[in-house]
Amino acid sequence: MTALAPTQPLTPSEQRIAQHVIKGLDARGIAAATQLKPNTVNSTLRTVRWKLACPERCSLAVVAHRLLDSGQITAPTPQRPVPDLSPAQIRLLTAAVEHTLPRDIALAAGLAPADLRDALDQLLADAGAQDITELVVLAHGWKLLPTEQAVHATRSGASQ
């Protein structure tokens, strides 16, 4: 995984919005669930992206990954066992948490862009996830994605 920029702590209100991202809600769903105005939710999500050092218009799956990766939100324990994913599927999963645009995801996963949709559909089916955001949350719970915290611990341990 690529090294990510440092994150800033979220405020309690930002964390409440972030919890809804982890639950798989989009901005409209968050607004409905929290009874906040859509503009307020969108503004908060922009701030959350900035504090997490996410690209400005990245997908909520990328945001969910950064929330979990930074330790600002804890991944819920999955209610199902870890699926047996192939190395290619793990590469695709990793690409999906690092990129938003389909072409970028495909290239990072070593796929032809035309094959991305089928590969993602198969990955979602094998993992039992409805969408990429749910898959990201499950993958963190299953410890399929190394967290930035673990990467830092490994690096500092290796340099000692």
Side-chain angles (χ1 to χ4, degrees):
M1 265 180 136
T2 55
L4 300 170
T7 61
Q8 296 181 28
L10 301 179
T11 65
S13 62
E14 291 164 349
Q15 284 187 335
R16 282 191 293 279
I17 297 287
Q19 284 289 353
H20 289 287
V21 171
I22 299 303
K23 292 177 184 173
L25 296 180
D26 62 8
R28 279 192 182 137
I30 295 169
T34 59
Q35 310 226 335
L36 293 171
K37 292 182 180 183
N39 287 346
T40 302
V41 172
N42 285 323
S43 175
T44 303
L45 287 174
R46 268 192 306 278
T47 302
V48 167
R49 282 180 172 100
W50 179 77
K51 285 186 172 185
L52 296 174
C54 291
E56 194 172 316
R57 297 185 190 272
C58 69
S59 71
L60 289 179
V62 172
V63 173
H65 170 63
R66 290 291 286 155
L67 285 164
L68 297 165
D69 188 45
S70 68
Q72 297 209 43
I73 303 284
T74 304
T77 303
Q79 300 302 311
R80 56 193 113 152
V82 180
D84 187 23
L85 301 179
S86 71
Q89 287 177 308
I90 298 292
R91 271 194 314 278
L92 177 56
L93 171 61
T94 302
V97 302
E98 293 177 346
H99 302 283
T100 295
L101 298 176
R103 184 181 190 304
D104 294 341
I105 294 169
L107 293 175
L111 295 170
D115 297 335
L116 177 63
R117 183 76 257 157
D118 288 341
L120 277 174
D121 288 345
Q122 186 62 54
L123 175 57
L124 292 171
D126 290 351
Q130 292 182 6
D131 58 35
I132 298 296
T133 303
E134 182 183 7
L135 176 62
V136 168
V137 173
L138 288 168
H140 273 277
W142 289 323
K143 311 280 189 255
L144 292 176
L145 294 168
T147 64
E148 192 64 19
Q149 296 163 337
V151 170
H152 285 308
T154 303
R155 285 184 192 145
S156 60
S159 65
Q160 291 177 348

